[in-house]
Amino acid sequence: MAAPVYPAWVTRWVSGQWRQKKRPPAIRPTRPLALANKVANRRERAGEATCITEMSVMMACWKQNDFSDTACAEEIRMFYDCVAKAEKERKDQNEEDTLSPRGNLTSSKVNKLLRRFPQITRYV
């Protein structure tokens, strides 16, 4: 008497091949799991525009006085003072080694830190 022939799914079900494996898959990294010694340069997000009101007052004065610099000397001086003050604040803020307003380091500061503390890839 010949043994009965069962469909393929029945033999897989009986042998337990239908169960999912319980262990996680083996992950083999293609590179060593270490930080690189530099990061990509990312452009800073543009800050808010400064001195807009002073510039608009200066341009309105120019328009009223047929683009005469002598008649609008006070407005021009106020605009240049505002620009100088904003430039000084921006330069002071860039010189500090603090976090950005979002709480992240800039890419140039990260690269500077990674140069100071390079990754050890070989053990002696």
Side-chain angles (χ1 to χ4, degrees):
M1 185 164 132
V5 178
Y6 295 109
W9 68 270
V10 173
T11 55
R12 281 195 307 269
W13 183 70
V14 171
S15 66
Q17 292 177 1
W18 59 275
R19 292 187 200 111
Q20 292 180 350
K21 298 198 184 315
K22 300 295 183 190
R23 64 178 182 256
I27 299 175
R28 292 188 181 95
T30 57
R31 297 180 187 155
L33 297 176
L35 290 176
N37 286 326
K38 65 179 180 176
V39 296
N41 287 326
R42 302 281 182 198
R43 198 178 330 173
E44 300 286 324
R45 287 193 178 178
E48 60 185 46
T50 56
C51 306
I52 296 296
T53 56
E54 287 84 356
M55 183 171 56
S56 62
V57 167
M58 178 183 69
M59 289 184 172
C61 180
W62 273 343
K63 190 173 182 180
Q64 289 175 353
N65 295 313
D66 200 28
F67 299 97
S68 171
D69 285 344
T70 55
C72 299
E74 181 65 23
E75 286 81 2
I76 294 171
R77 186 190 58 76
M78 286 174 50
F79 174 67
Y80 281 130
D81 289 346
C82 179
V83 168
K85 186 174 103 176
E87 185 68 24
K88 184 175 184 275
E89 288 176 2
R90 187 182 64 79
K91 185 183 274 187
D92 290 343
Q93 191 241 355
N94 282 347
E95 288 177 356
E96 297 175 4
D97 285 334
T98 58
L99 298 175
S100 69
R102 294 182 298 154
N104 297 331
L105 289 172
T106 61
S107 60
S108 60
K109 291 178 185 176
V110 170
N111 282 332
K112 187 186 298 184
L113 285 172
L114 287 172
R115 266 187 259 118
R116 283 182 60 195
F117 306 104
Q119 299 299 308
I120 299 172
T121 56
R122 293 184 215 93
Y123 294 102
V124 179

